[in-house]
Amino acid sequence: MRDHEFLYVQKRNDRTKAGIEKTVYGQLPDGQTADLYTLHNAAGMTASITNYGGIIVSLTTPDRNGKFEDVTLGMDSLAGYVKGTPYFGALIGRYGNRIAKGKFTLDGKTYTLVTNNFGNHLHGGTKGFDKVLWTATPVEGDEPALKLTYTSKDGEEGYPGNLSVQVTYTLQKDNALKIDYQATTDKPTVVNLTNHTYFNLAGGAKRDILDHVVTLYADKFIPIDQTLIPTGKLQPVAGTPFDFTKPTVVGTRINDSTDTQIKYGGGYDHGWVLNGTGDSLKLAATVYEPTSGRVMEVRTDQPAVQFYTGNFLDGSVTGREGFPYKKRYALCLETEHYPDSPNQPNFPTTVLKPGETYKTTTVYQFSSKKE
Ligand code: BGC
């Protein structure tokens, strides 16, 4: 292992080559050690990921002048993440987003999950996949990758079945971070994995994201009630503040208090139903930040994307360099199945059975343009 680590450090000295650097990130309260892996490609982009929660600690991407800056919200240390963040950069599971009242019925049996969000179950419970230590295997190459594995025990947070999960982060040559998710189970269960990175393409997250220009390739969205649980019906975006089918400045209608859905979400905190069907990767969202020129394209094979505009950030979490992250200082694009699918017979199923393999891919690609 020592030789391995040495190799990583050697490679990192040559910035023109792709590689992986591994360092000890810190000690968890239970004494286990978490590591930090920095993947870098030949174009200069880096992705730092810890095996604690599979958290993306930083992602540096170039602006229109070639300046690399971090485009995520994050903490200065492992201790910061352990103390608690609203899922900055983290892998989310076993079920990303909400399950109403933390209950669902499968094959005639009702399961009770941990409730952690206004009486509902959110992002896998109080100790979801974002708070566990994953086993990491770095994979060297032109497109360096980090393979993370975790076995979620039968009954964990209330879910049935031992679930073997594998998530691979690959930093591609073309400045894209690909995330491949895979899972198998030994009992029927529900699965909906995602990543919860908070993006601010201006770099450094020093101001809000209201100037970001967003396109969502979705003609319908998923209306919610006051507790952010879907009503069960889909609604066309046309004629509503939820219409991002053309490039739209985020701040334009985010405070439209005449719109009930904006009111319930405190801004945008909804699932958009992605156009197109099938298992192939499709463009879900494009984000452009005009001052830096940075562009992010999100591709996925998932049926929906949760577009969350950091409405619950309130400055109480102090991030990198002691900087407080305030309301709407970031946006999330969480590719996933519809929220509360286990209780919504009309939504595509999230049930995974023994013998089946859950397999999905999402790619976040970064570039820049002049104006
Ligand atoms: C949810 C928000 C929540 C945030 C952080 C998002 O996925 O939709 O309502 O506040 O995660 O927990």
Side-chain angles (χ1 to χ4, degrees):
M1 194 58 198
R2 192 164 257 168
D3 285 344
H4 231 119
E5 286 175 26
F6 185 63
L7 184 71
Y8 299 145
V9 176
Q10 287 281 301
K11 282 204 167 174
R12 192 167 159 73
N13 291 337
D14 185 351
R15 282 275 171 192
T16 62
K17 284 209 187 98
I20 305 174
E21 181 194 9
K22 177 188 174 189
T23 53
V24 169
Y25 197 36
Q27 213 86 40
L28 293 168
D30 65 4
Q32 294 189 92
T33 300
D35 294 316
L36 187 68
Y37 297 84
T38 299
L39 282 54
H40 52 109
N41 69 6
M45 180 175 163
T46 63
S48 294
I49 299 156
T50 174
N51 57 333
Y52 175 68
I55 295 170
I56 297 175
V57 170
S58 89
L59 267 185
T60 66
T61 79
D63 70 2
R64 61 164 66 93
N65 301 313
K67 187 177 174 204
F68 283 83
E69 280 176 303
D70 197 340
V71 295
T72 69
L73 263 55
M75 309 304 278
D76 271 333
S77 65
L78 177 68
Y81 289 103
V82 171
K83 198 171 150 209
T85 79
Y87 305 93
F88 289 165
L91 289 180
I92 306 295
R94 188 178 297 202
Y95 196 95
N97 216 302
R98 294 173 172 82
I99 296 179
K101 305 201 165 53
K103 283 200 192 302
F104 67 95
T105 303
L106 190 55
D107 297 337
K109 194 169 171 215
T110 299
Y111 294 94
T112 302
L113 307 172
V114 170
T115 49
N116 56 338
N117 189 262
F118 306 109
N120 297 318
H121 177 86
L122 175 69
H123 295 333
T126 46
K127 191 171 181 188
F129 294 179
D130 58 298
K131 293 183 189 69
V132 301
L133 193 65
W134 295 65
T135 302
T137 313
V139 186
E140 289 279 357
D142 280 353
E143 300 201 320
L146 186 69
K147 195 162 98 178
L148 298 171
T149 57
Y150 174 68
T151 303
S152 168
K153 292 257 167 352
D154 188 7
E156 198 174 281
E157 302 295 299
Y159 291 102
N162 291 296
L163 188 78
S164 304
V165 191
Q166 183 180 307
V167 178
T168 305
Y169 287 106
T170 305
L171 183 58
Q172 299 184 169
K173 293 176 196 158
D174 56 355
N175 286 350
L177 183 72
K178 177 161 74 112
I179 315 179
D180 292 300
Y181 304 86
Q182 208 171 300
T184 52
T185 183
D186 62 1
K187 275 187 197 165
T189 188
V190 293
V191 187
N192 188 28
L193 306 180
T194 190
N195 175 278
H196 209 304
T197 295
Y198 286 68
F199 295 99
N200 186 324
L201 298 189
K206 296 280 191 284
R207 56 186 171 81
D208 67 49
I209 46 77
L210 297 181
D211 70 335
H212 284 46
V213 182
V214 168
T215 314
L216 298 173
Y217 302 92
D219 295 333
K220 287 182 211 141
F221 77 106
I222 307 167
I224 50 174
D225 67 16
Q226 278 112 314
T227 68
L228 287 87
I229 295 292
T231 59
K233 292 207 181 80
L234 306 181
Q235 191 182 326
V237 295
T240 78
F242 292 79
D243 190 351
F244 282 86
T245 51
K246 296 202 175 59
T248 301
V249 175
V250 172
T252 315
R253 291 167 297 176
I254 198 169
N255 291 321
D256 183 352
S257 55
T258 62
D259 187 282
T260 316
Q261 285 300 314
I262 287 277
K263 227 163 55 192
Y264 288 171
Y268 299 111
D269 194 355
H270 297 74
W272 268 254
V273 177
L274 296 170
N275 295 338
T277 49
D279 294 336
S280 62
L281 285 186
K282 54 189 178 278
L283 197 54
T286 304
V287 185
Y288 168 61
E289 198 287 306
T291 60
S292 66
R294 286 194 181 88
V295 176
M296 177 171 76
E297 286 176 322
V298 184
R299 289 184 174 74
T300 190
D301 52 15
Q302 289 293 279
V305 65
Q306 181 84 6
F307 176 42
Y308 169 57
T309 44
N311 313 313
F312 293 113
L313 295 173
D314 59 4
S316 61
V317 176
T318 306
R320 286 191 204 100
E321 300 160 30
F323 195 79
Y325 293 137
K326 299 192 198 140
K327 186 167 176 173
R328 300 188 179 143
Y329 267 39
L331 57 85
C332 302
L333 287 160
E334 304 150 57
T335 54
E336 59 194 17
H337 266 256
Y338 305 1
D340 197 33
S341 296
N343 292 308
Q344 305 264 0
N346 297 328
F347 289 177
T349 182
T350 51
V351 172
L352 182 72
K353 298 196 175 116
E356 297 174 345
T357 302
Y358 169 94
K359 218 166 177 273
T360 84
T361 300
T362 292
V363 180
Y364 294 92
Q365 178 159 29
F366 299 89
S367 58
S368 64
K369 61 178 187 180
K370 289 284 171 251
E371 56 187 276

